Amino acid sequence: MVSRGTPAMSMAGDLDPWQVSSELRVDIFLSQPREASVRLWNAARDVLNEEERQRARRFVFDRDRDMYVFSHGLLRLLLARYMVADPRELTFASAPGGRPELVSPSSAPIRFNLSHTDGLVGCILTQKADCGLDVEQIGRVDYRHLVPTALAPEERSALLGLAEADRPDRFCEIWTLKEAYLKGRGLGISYPIRNISFSGFRR
């Protein structure tokens, strides 16, 4: 089961914990920080540990600090709700490649991934299976200078076969798919993404 576009407002308090099942369950949550309630913002701030608070204070710009606080606090709230745990007691470690993983409590086989861009936070949670998620703002960067390093030859050829007006959206679609794949596999941002190729996109 996949939940898409769930509003940010009361999700952390209204979700039912997972029931243990052999069926793979995947939940995706999308949240717009600017639309979130004061209650949720306060809850996100309150559950961060001291290391996260110190990291938040090191951000130069308020918008970056706020995004970090909201996204990491929201992740803690979601994980804690699913596991019936105190969000403040969750501990994390970085796997090889930099992917964050839940260390404690370890009573549930939960995998997760977090991504954010201007105005949007995305979080994916699964049972047992590795997962990855990426969200991007379309038009944020000029895609043309990224094509040689980001796309495999067959992807580049397919992109150039589209009308100019359709290329930015398609590039962003491929880019986010590759980023999500790398994060799900734990390969790290240094992996050459042009060595990964996806096909089957509709025109």
Side-chain angles (χ1 to χ4, degrees), residues 14-30:
D14 296 341
L15 295 176
D16 291 325
W18 277 343
Q19 301 298 317
V20 177
S21 170
S22 60
E23 180 182 357
L24 176 63
R25 173 171 172 169
V26 179
D27 286 301
I28 299 175
F29 300 95
L30 301 176

Side-chain angles (χ1 to χ4, degrees), residues 98-109:
R99 180 179 62 190
E101 295 183 351
L102 188 64
V103 174
S104 177
S106 57
S107 57

Side-chain angles (χ1 to χ4, degrees), residues 147-155 174 178 181-182 185 187 190-198:
V147 168
T149 56
L151 301 189
E154 55 270 31
E155 292 172 328
I174 298 172
K178 290 191 176 194
Y181 177 80
L182 291 180
R185 293 289 307 277
L187 295 176
S190 62
Y191 191 89
I193 61 175
R194 71 185 306 273
N195 291 351
I196 302 169
S197 176
F198 290 98

Side-chain angles (χ1 to χ4, degrees), residues 8-10 32-42 70:
M9 332 13 48
S10 59
Q32 295 175 294
R34 297 187 186 99
E35 304 300 323
S37 67
V38 172
R39 179 186 175 189
L40 183 56
W41 266 101
N42 288 338
F70 183 83

